[in-house]
Amino acid sequence: MGQLNIIVADDHPLFRSGVIDAVSKMPNIRVVAHAENGMKAYQEIIALRPDIAILDIEMPILSGLDVAKKVLGEKHQTRIILLTMHKTKSFFQDAMQSGVQGYLLKDNAIEELLECIVSVDKGNTFVSPQFKGFLNTQDEALSEELQMVKTLLTPTEKVILKLISEGRTSAEIADLLFVSPNTVDNHRSNITKKLKLEGKNSLLKFSMRLQNEL
């Protein structure tokens, strides 16, 4: 690994200092700038053209993801590593689709930074092992829920579940299916019982988790 110029951006001063200190101790790595918000980070990237930018995913003015999309969309050569506190699949998928090459959970970021930087510098993608484990667990849970839908629900109940996932009311579903709202409510009750769902809005939450699979 040759000399790497790196920018660090995070709106939390103590965490930003910790990342800078950790990176600065690594061989052949130089922190050329740091920023406390996404706009400054973007401006520094455009001005200095660093090899890698390490960005907090949530920052004022522009988020780290916003900066990544702008930088990668404009075909700059800077590679992006995102840091996050949240285990959120939608953020991760958005980041990967945008071309981000590093995705680290802040809980383990300092320990994983060197391995991540080396991997990203080689053109590879690095994702926190802990986050990969979370994704695998989440995918397994969704797979089980989808199997329940396939085996327990009637064709009509599956259609209604999909419409619920789209945020449709019982009245709207009734109009679409040419049945009465009471009939839809009965179906909703049966679906809830078959899937053993409990709690307020549990059916809506369940359907939205599977929205792309229904």
Side-chain angles (χ1 to χ4, degrees):
M1 182 171 69
Q3 172 79 37
L4 290 181
N5 292 329
I6 288 180
I7 283 176
V8 177
D10 194 297
D11 58 323
H12 295 91
L14 287 177
F15 189 84
R16 185 172 68 246
S17 295
V19 172
I20 292 170
D21 288 345
V23 171
S24 298
K25 292 173 183 175
M26 298 175 187
N28 303 318
I29 293 177
R30 184 166 64 111
V31 177
V32 294
H34 58 87
E36 68 281 354
N37 64 66
M39 180 58 76
K40 185 178 179 185
Y42 174 72
Q43 291 169 342
E44 295 285 17
I45 291 169
I46 300 307
L48 300 174
R49 306 297 170 103
D51 299 291
I52 294 173
I54 301 171
L55 311 173
D56 183 9
I57 201 168
E58 294 180 291
M59 290 187 289
I61 309 178
L62 288 176
S63 70
L65 190 53
D66 290 334
V67 176
K69 288 179 178 179
K70 284 174 68 67
V71 169
L72 298 171
E74 293 166 4
K75 307 298 183 184
H76 298 293
Q77 297 303 305
T78 299
R79 291 172 174 150
I80 306 293
I81 296 171
L82 289 182
L83 307 175
T84 182
M85 289 287 293
H86 306 293
K87 294 177 181 178
T88 307
K89 189 174 182 178
S90 58
F91 277 158
F92 173 74
Q93 290 174 328
D94 202 0
M96 293 299 103
Q97 288 169 2
S98 300
V100 169
Q101 287 182 275
Y103 201 86
L104 297 180
L105 291 175
K106 280 191 169 184
D107 291 347
N108 309 94
I110 302 301
E111 294 86 350
E112 295 170 354
L113 259 177
L114 179 57
E115 185 180 357
C116 181
I117 289 170
V118 170
S119 180
V120 168
D121 180 52
K122 292 178 179 177
N124 301 320
T125 298
F126 183 94
V127 178
S128 285
Q130 185 183 350
F131 191 77
K132 282 184 179 178
F134 161 75
L135 289 176
N136 290 337
T137 301
Q138 197 174 59
D139 287 343
E140 287 171 9
L142 283 177
S143 179
E144 289 178 8
E145 290 178 342
L146 186 59
Q147 191 59 38
M148 287 171 61
V149 169
K150 289 179 177 178
T151 57
L152 298 178
L153 302 190
T154 67
T156 299
E157 288 169 345
K158 291 172 185 175
V159 170
I160 289 174
L161 186 65
K162 180 170 179 57
L163 292 171
I164 291 171
S165 76
E166 296 170 0
R168 307 271 190 176
T169 65
S170 290
E172 289 172 333
I173 295 171
D175 286 341
L176 288 169
L177 300 183
F178 303 104
V179 297
S180 71
N182 284 340
T183 298
V184 175
D185 286 338
N186 287 335
H187 280 303
R188 294 176 73 120
S189 178
N190 289 335
I191 294 169
T192 300
K193 289 175 182 175
K194 286 182 178 181
L195 299 177
K196 298 181 179 179
L197 302 175
E198 297 178 353
K200 189 177 181 181
N201 297 323
S202 59
L203 181 56
L204 176 60
K205 292 174 183 175
F206 179 93
S207 67
M208 290 185 71
R209 284 200 300 274
L210 293 176
Q211 187 174 29
N212 295 328
E213 308 294 334
L214 296 173

